[in-house]
Amino acid sequence: MRKPLLVLIASAFVFGCAQKTETIDYTLLSDEERLAAAKEMAQNTIMVDGHVDLPYRMKVGGFTLQREILDVSVRTDGGNFDFPRSKEGGLDAPFMSIYIPSGYQDRGGAKVLADSLILMTERLVNIWPDKFAMAYSPSDIEKNTQEGKVSFPMGMENGAALEDDINNVQYFYDRGIRYITLTHGKDNLIGDSSYDTMRTHNGLSEYGVEVVKEMNKVGIMVDISHVSDSTFYDVMKVTDVPVIASHSSARKFTPGFERNMGDDMIKALGKNGGVIMINFGGSFVDGDYNEKSGAVREHIVNWLAENGLSRTDSAAVAYIEKYSAENNPFPNVEKVADHFDHVVALVGIDHVGLGSDFDGVGDSLPTGLKDVSMYPNLIAELLKRGYSKEDIEKICYKNIFRVWDAVIAASGK
């Protein structure tokens, strides 16, 4: 836990006018006052989220370039993202995840899928230009935010869409991609995945080394979420610029879950100047979530069978709601804040950000962080633990902007 930080405004006389002394200690406010302060910060601070899976949510929902597209300009039923809820939560720039499932690297079509999801994202902007705008740099986000629009920067989740052509790095930069998650659920041509036990390359492949170098050259951020530990350390040796983990959390709280980052990895990321953007998903936040949620599901299945009911029966709906509430398996906002505390304790406030994985982790999201309207709940918890307004600004956008600007500068663009 961070020590409380007092925000002091000293007494002074400027042009003969006295300024009053004011002291704010957010740790001493009531919960209601602290939440009000958090909501004000969210509304007046640029907020970037490193990973929101809206494009693939649209694809799974059956939306294509030829058919009606999901209307996220209004409040939607289901999902975690839409324009009204973004405005309520203060979200200004969710990185749209151009997600390529691992199967595409085997059966082909990864690049084609990536192009279709990019076009789908662009279509949202074309349909509702008063609400959404594409963003290819921090300055784009600043401009769009001033105009009251939600920015859509894009990151590609799974470098499989590069296929075996290094020229596709420049191609996807030109298409608007500003980070590439090197792997996903399986090893690919670039390197090994945290979810795959094959260890095909024991880290980055020779091609993967060239991909990282080309990303540095072109100006695309390297995203090490999803990679194996060996791949991560290989990236650290190769990259000339800071890297990001767009949606990962701290392995300390999820022992054995390689998808999260271990302490030594977080320290190496800090030394590199990079940022870990904390994932809100239940299994990322709480090492016991899978077991607890599994037990709830098993009980409900058995109860339904014993009583000869289906989930849609009114009696079953009432029972499931009551039982789930009494045996809530979901982590809470405090559990998420623990990950921020841990990263800050290891490497400082300059190396942590928001990477919710909204629309990508199903119904596992924590109580109090179920959609993009709820970021103030997390900010309030961090204020309660002694984080300052400047700390919140770093978490919300300054840290990721610093890395992004460094990547742009190194590319000469």
Side-chain angles (χ1 to χ4, degrees):
M1 183 178 294
R2 307 202 74 208
K3 295 181 179 178
L5 181 89
L6 299 184
V7 180
L8 304 175
I9 303 176
S11 296
F13 284 88
V14 180
F15 302 112
C17 297
Q19 292 182 335
K20 294 182 180 180
T21 300
E22 183 181 4
T23 302
I24 302 174
D25 182 350
Y26 295 108
T27 67
L28 299 179
L29 300 180
S30 68
D31 289 344
E32 293 77 12
E33 292 169 332
R34 197 161 35 240
L35 181 58
K39 288 180 177 179
E40 182 178 0
M41 286 185 192
Q43 294 301 321
N44 293 290
T45 300
I46 293 174
M47 187 183 296
V48 180
D49 190 310
H51 196 88
V52 173
D53 274 296
L54 176 64
Y56 205 76
R57 171 186 160 200
M58 291 190 295
K59 177 178 173 56
V60 170
F63 301 97
T64 69
L65 297 177
Q66 290 75 39
R67 296 175 59 188
E68 185 63 31
I69 203 161
L70 179 65
D71 187 355
V72 289
S73 71
V74 297
R75 195 175 300 274
T76 61
D77 293 328
N80 310 130
F81 171 88
D82 54 48
F83 183 80
R85 286 184 286 177
S86 288
K87 284 297 182 181
E88 290 171 16
L91 177 62
D92 299 295
F95 265 90
M96 293 287 100
S97 172
I98 306 304
Y99 165 52
I100 312 300
S102 298
Y104 280 85
Q105 66 201 32
D106 298 324
R107 64 178 176 266
K111 183 170 181 271
V112 171
L113 174 61
D115 277 327
S116 71
L117 294 177
I118 291 169
L119 287 169
M120 196 178 293
T121 303
E122 292 171 338
R123 187 179 174 201
L124 292 175
V125 171
N126 293 333
I127 295 174
W128 298 292
D130 58 325
K131 292 182 171 67
F132 305 118
M134 301 305 296
Y136 308 110
S137 67
S139 60
D140 285 346
I141 293 174
E142 291 171 346
K143 176 179 179 294
N144 295 339
T145 301
Q146 290 172 357
E147 296 175 355
K149 299 176 182 179
V150 173
S151 293
F152 284 166
M154 293 186 293
M156 189 165 71
E157 187 178 23
N158 194 353
L162 298 177
E163 298 180 338
D164 59 352
D165 187 350
I166 196 69
N167 295 315
N168 280 331
V169 177
Q170 181 68 56
Y171 173 84
F172 279 112
Y173 176 89
D174 294 339
R175 293 294 290 111
I177 296 298
R178 291 300 179 265
Y179 76 66
I180 296 175
T181 315
L182 299 180
T183 67
H184 194 256
K186 294 182 179 179
D187 301 348
N188 60 18
L189 296 178
I190 295 170
D192 296 341
S193 164
S194 61
Y195 284 130
D196 199 331
T197 59
M198 293 298 291
R199 299 299 185 253
T200 304
H201 312 286
N202 293 315
L204 283 176
S205 67
E206 291 183 10
Y207 174 65
V209 170
E210 294 307 308
V211 166
V212 171
K213 290 180 178 178
E214 187 69 7
M215 289 171 69
N216 286 178
K217 177 183 175 183
V218 165
I220 296 179
M221 289 181 283
V222 177
D223 178 20
I224 53 78
S225 287
H226 281 285
V227 305
S228 69
D229 290 11
S230 296
T231 303
F232 167 80
Y233 285 112
D234 281 352
V235 170
M236 291 296 99
K237 295 174 185 175
V238 173
T239 184
D240 293 324
V241 294
V243 307
I244 65 169
S246 68
H247 58 307
S248 296
S249 298
R251 197 180 298 170
K252 170 183 168 62
F253 303 101
T254 58
F257 186 37
E258 190 175 348
R259 173 64 179 78
N260 276 345
M261 296 185 70
D263 286 3
D264 288 342
M265 298 170 74
I266 294 171
K267 290 176 183 177
L269 186 73
K271 186 176 180 180
N272 161 265
V275 177
I276 173 175
M277 308 179 82
I278 301 300
N279 191 315
F280 298 171
S283 59
F284 290 82
V285 173
D286 183 356
D288 296 327
Y289 169 74
N290 287 335
E291 181 178 350
K292 289 187 290 188
S293 61
V296 170
R297 285 194 299 271
E298 182 178 4
H299 172 85
I300 290 172
V301 168
N302 290 336
W303 184 88
L304 291 171
E306 291 168 1
N307 290 274
L309 296 173
S310 71
R311 285 182 176 272
T312 57
D313 292 326
S314 58
V317 170
Y319 179 83
I320 291 171
E321 182 177 348
K322 181 175 183 293
Y323 184 84
S324 298
E326 292 174 350
N327 298 272
N328 182 7
F330 301 107
N332 52 28
V333 176
E334 289 83 354
K335 286 275 190 181
V336 179
D338 288 344
H339 288 257
F340 286 85
D341 279 351
H342 186 66
V343 173
V344 171
L346 287 175
V347 294
I349 190 63
D350 295 329
H351 305 285
V352 66
L354 302 167
S356 65
D357 213 350
F358 280 139
D359 280 333
V361 287
D363 62 356
S364 74
L365 290 158
T367 302
L369 282 175
K370 294 295 187 182
D371 63 42
V372 294
S373 71
M374 299 185 182
Y375 294 99
N377 293 334
L378 176 58
I379 294 173
E381 178 61 26
L382 295 175
L383 293 176
K384 184 177 183 179
R385 298 180 182 212
Y387 287 70
S388 69
K389 181 175 182 290
E390 181 182 6
D391 293 337
I392 300 302
E393 290 173 348
K394 288 184 175 183
I395 289 169
C396 287
Y397 79 100
K398 288 184 175 179
N399 289 342
I400 184 61
F401 274 17
R402 172 182 53 78
V403 172
W404 196 351
D405 282 333
V407 171
I408 292 172
S411 72
K413 295 184 177 179

